[in-house]
Amino acid sequence: MDGHGNLSLSRKASKTSPRSNNLEIEDADDDEYVSFVPDHGDVFQALKDEVASLHSSVGAVDDIASLRGAAADLQDPRCNPESEAFSHPFFLKTVRQILKLNNMSFSEMPIAFKDLKVFGDAAGVAYIPTVGSTLLGILTPLVQLVNFARGVSDSLVPRRTKVPKEIIKGITGTVRPGELLLVLGRPGSGCSSLLRTLANRTKSFKEVTGTITFAGFSAGAARDQYRGEIAFAEEGDPHYPSLTVRQTLDFVLGLRVLDPKIRARLANVVLRLYGLVRCQNTVVGDASLRGVSGGEKKQATCIGGSVGVFDGCTKGLDAAAALDFVRSLRSFADYSSRVVVASCYQASDAMYEHFDKVAILEDGFCVYFGPASQAVAYFESLGFTKLPRETVPDFLTTCASSGTHSAADLHARFASSSTAAACLRDADALLAPDVANQCQAEFTESLRARRKALGADDAHASGPTVAPVRRQLALLMARELQILRGNPAPTIMTIFFNMVMATIVGSVFLQLPADTSGAYTRGGAIFFALLFNAVSAVSELPAIMNGRPVLYKHKDCHGFKGS
């Protein structure tokens, strides 16, 4: 209150907004907004409440304006996947802005692992049965019975003990949301095994020791509840050959996104992002059915969820297509906070620059795990020299397998380095109980909000599968019809052959005597007709066996509930 009895706002608390030309109040305590004379009681308290209300209104107006601005950005041609000006970084940035204004976020799943070791069956434990081993197997129960009665031992034949092979011999590190991890190593060094472990696909291994968490959840809990959030693309990713690229994508999105408008737009974005627009109506194909190229088939794999693991992601792609694919992974990691782990064969320097971290394996030992920008300097400190025209991935792989130092020696040297100490501190920070519990709560809440925004009901928003059973059944039946329609030649030939056989069998009944003299012939024809229908079902076995890898892939990612 000044000398004339007017209310004065403090200079700190008021300023003019250049965008709205209205009074904008800075974020501060309510007592700092207005300087009052303390003896005037309720009148000034009411004015103080009015100013606080004005502050809230101005903030709401700003939020509405920001939301309208983001909504206007969605109408921008750069957000329209059908436009030539489409830009996936701008589209993802706009979506992230809208989620932020609605108090939503992408479900983030950081991966932390410490002293991770993977064991599998050794190659020598797979015995081929012979005549002698078969006869010995028949006599073994009798020998066991005699020795048990004599109390000598349970068997005269020494048991062969299966010694597991250590595939991954201890690795520690983290992969945080928004980071890309590149795994390098020669064939047989354990790269694929590490990728399968980070994708939580460890059923084929004999044992996995150490500690690994996914957003604070243990490997078992993540496998049971959130397996669909960890997508894994194998080196030879299986698909149904008679389905088109668009049908393959629509089936996967139909199980994850229930809102039809969002699903249609997301499908167009993915097709445009991976350069599959011109081949979206072409069948995927295989060795017997001509379809898309190997690179386009690799890109047809729809990777969703919070973690994407790619084994040999650039196999079958030329240099330009491989670089575009890695750039797409970089954009997704930056704007959707996803974790991306990939192994690349013959990666170029341009591809290597998009990765944040690199893991180098040799004979199961981790010889380096840390920032990709510091890998060359680390190996140069060990005495290795990089040639002028040598690419960074080739240099790193050569250092690990040069023979100058053994893999165990390189592993021991890295374990005593400052980079390994930083990885250990980072892993311990994420594995701490309080941090793990916080990650679990944030991931569960964001995942539930995201699924509800995509059309899931309350019952499926937190479950392992998103689509209800009736929708899963409808999608599977529609896909089966699409498979038959995509390659109708075998079905047409089967129908034509059955009609020919029906005509032949039916002609046997012509001019047969109606008395007992024709009973034997009539019975034989009926028996052949029944036997033919039973045996013809065997022709479905190849289709079942060819579709089994796809079934296992969908089962691993909780695409639908198996019966």
Side-chain angles (χ1 to χ4, degrees):
M1 185 76 67
D2 58 14
H4 300 283
N6 297 323
L7 182 66
S8 62
L9 294 177
S10 65
R11 185 175 300 274
K12 176 182 178 181
S14 64
K15 66 180 180 179
T16 302
S17 172
R19 183 178 60 181
S20 60
N21 293 325
N22 294 326
L23 185 66
E24 180 176 335
I25 309 298
E26 291 184 346
D27 291 336
D29 294 334
D30 293 341
D31 295 333
E32 297 181 0
Y33 292 149
V34 185
S35 59
F36 297 106
V37 177
D39 295 331
H40 291 273
D42 297 338
V43 177
F44 294 104
Q45 182 63 37
L47 291 174
K48 178 181 176 182
D49 294 340
E50 185 68 21
V51 173
S53 177
L54 177 62
H55 170 261
S56 300
S57 300
V58 172
V61 170
D62 288 342
D63 290 342
I64 293 175
S66 300
L67 187 59
R68 288 177 178 175
D73 288 340
L74 280 179
Q75 305 301 323
D76 192 288
R78 290 174 293 178
C79 286
N80 185 6
E82 299 179 357
S83 173
E84 294 294 333
F86 174 76
S87 173
H88 62 271
F90 182 81
F91 173 78
L92 293 173
K93 184 177 181 180
T94 303
V95 172
R96 189 177 185 88
Q97 182 181 2
I98 293 177
L99 292 178
K100 182 178 180 181
L101 292 173
N102 285 277
N103 295 324
M104 297 175 60
S105 62
F106 290 98
S107 50
E108 300 179 350
M109 180 177 280
I111 303 177
F113 44 94
K114 181 178 179 182
D115 196 21
L116 187 64
K117 297 180 180 180
V118 177
F119 296 88
D121 288 330
V125 301
Y127 300 103
I128 300 176
T130 61
V131 176
S133 63
T134 303
L135 295 176
L136 186 61
I138 297 175
L139 298 177
T140 298
L142 180 61
V143 174
Q144 290 178 345
L145 180 61
V146 173
N147 289 334
F148 179 78
R150 295 176 57 187
V152 177
S153 64
D154 58 345
S155 176
L156 291 176
V157 181
R159 294 183 177 179
R160 294 185 175 122
T161 58
K162 297 183 178 181
V163 180
K165 179 183 178 181
E166 192 173 4
I167 304 175
I168 303 296
K169 303 174 183 179
I171 181 172
T172 300
T174 60
V175 190
R176 293 181 177 272
E179 290 183 346
L180 268 71
L181 171 64
L182 175 63
V183 181
L184 295 177
R186 295 188 306 171
S189 59
C191 295
S192 297
S193 299
L194 178 60
L195 291 174
R196 296 189 67 88
T197 305
L198 295 181
N200 208 10
R201 307 293 198 270
T202 57
K203 286 187 175 181
S204 59
F205 301 132
K206 192 171 187 65
E207 185 182 8
V208 177
T209 62
T211 305
I212 182 170
T213 60
F214 302 86
F217 295 96
S218 63
R223 186 184 303 112
D224 295 337
Q225 292 295 326
Y226 306 109
R227 186 167 53 194
E229 293 301 310
I230 307 175
F232 178 58
E234 300 182 26
E235 186 173 346
D237 198 44
H239 297 281
Y240 282 108
S242 59
L243 289 180
T244 65
V245 174
R246 183 62 184 252
Q247 290 171 348
T248 302
L249 180 62
D250 286 340
F251 176 78
V252 177
L253 292 179
L255 294 172
R256 294 179 176 272
V257 183
L258 304 186
D259 189 292
K261 295 182 179 180
I262 299 177
R263 183 170 63 250
R265 183 153 193 170
L266 185 58
N268 292 331
V269 169
V270 173
L271 290 173
R272 185 63 183 274
L273 179 63
Y274 292 105
L276 300 174
V277 176
R278 63 182 182 87
C279 65
Q280 60 178 320
N281 296 321
T282 306
V283 296
V284 176
D286 58 1
S288 59
L289 180 63
R290 184 176 181 180
V292 298
S293 63
E296 292 170 337
K297 182 179 179 181
K298 185 68 177 179
Q299 292 178 343
T301 302
C302 180
I303 298 296
S306 305
V307 178
V309 182
F310 299 82
D311 189 2
C313 63
T314 58
K315 183 179 181 181
L317 302 180
D318 54 30
L323 181 58
D324 290 339
F325 187 78
V326 174
R327 285 173 177 170
S328 301
L329 298 181
R330 176 77 269 174
S331 298
F332 264 115
D334 288 338
Y335 296 107
S336 59
S337 298
R338 80 188 310 188
V339 171
V340 177
V341 184
S343 64
C344 301
Y345 298 108
Q346 298 179 345
S348 62
D349 287 340
M351 295 168 53
Y352 182 82
E353 292 174 355
H354 289 84
F355 289 90
D356 301 293
K357 295 181 179 180
V358 60
I360 306 173
L361 302 180
E362 175 61 26
D363 195 23
F365 290 100
C366 177
V367 299
Y368 181 83
F369 186 98
S373 58
Q374 302 176 10
V376 175
Y378 170 76
F379 280 100
E380 287 180 344
S381 66
L382 298 181
F384 295 96
T385 303
K386 182 179 179 297
L387 300 178
R389 299 178 63 88
E390 189 176 16
T391 62
V392 174
D394 288 344
F395 169 71
L396 299 178
T397 306
T398 303
C399 292
S401 58
S402 62
T404 306
H405 303 279
S406 64
D409 184 26
L410 291 175
H411 175 72
R413 291 192 178 194
F414 172 71
S416 60
S417 65
S418 59
T419 305
C423 291
L424 181 59
R425 289 193 301 267
D426 196 15
D428 289 336
L430 277 180
L431 294 174
D434 53 343
V435 177
N437 293 333
Q438 182 182 358
C439 290
Q440 292 179 13
E442 293 177 353
F443 177 79
T444 304
E445 182 180 357
S446 60
L447 178 63
R448 181 178 179 85
R450 188 192 74 187
R451 288 183 173 180
K452 292 186 69 174
L454 296 178
D457 53 17
D458 294 335
H460 294 85
S462 301
T465 57
V466 179
V469 177
R470 61 180 182 276
R471 179 173 180 81
Q472 298 176 21
L473 181 61
L475 288 173
L476 289 171
M477 293 180 64
R479 186 184 66 173
E480 193 65 26
L481 293 177
Q482 292 172 350
I483 292 174
L484 296 177
R485 188 169 55 184
N487 188 19
T491 305
I492 294 175
M493 289 298 299
T494 301
I495 295 175
F496 177 76
F497 186 69
N498 287 338
M499 293 176 62
V500 171
M501 293 303 299
T503 303
I504 295 175
V505 174
S507 64
V508 177
F509 290 90
L510 293 176
Q511 299 180 356
L512 278 179
D515 54 9
T516 57
S517 60
Y520 182 80
T521 305
R522 184 176 287 103
I526 294 175
F527 174 76
F528 177 79
L530 296 176
L531 181 64
F532 176 78
N533 289 328
V535 174
S536 62
V538 180
S539 62
E540 296 295 327
L541 288 178
I544 295 175
M545 299 302 296
N546 292 333
R548 181 171 293 183
V550 184
L551 174 64
Y552 288 157
K553 181 180 72 171
H554 291 165
K555 181 181 178 182
D556 287 339
C557 66
H558 267 165
F560 49 82
K561 184 178 180 181
S563 58

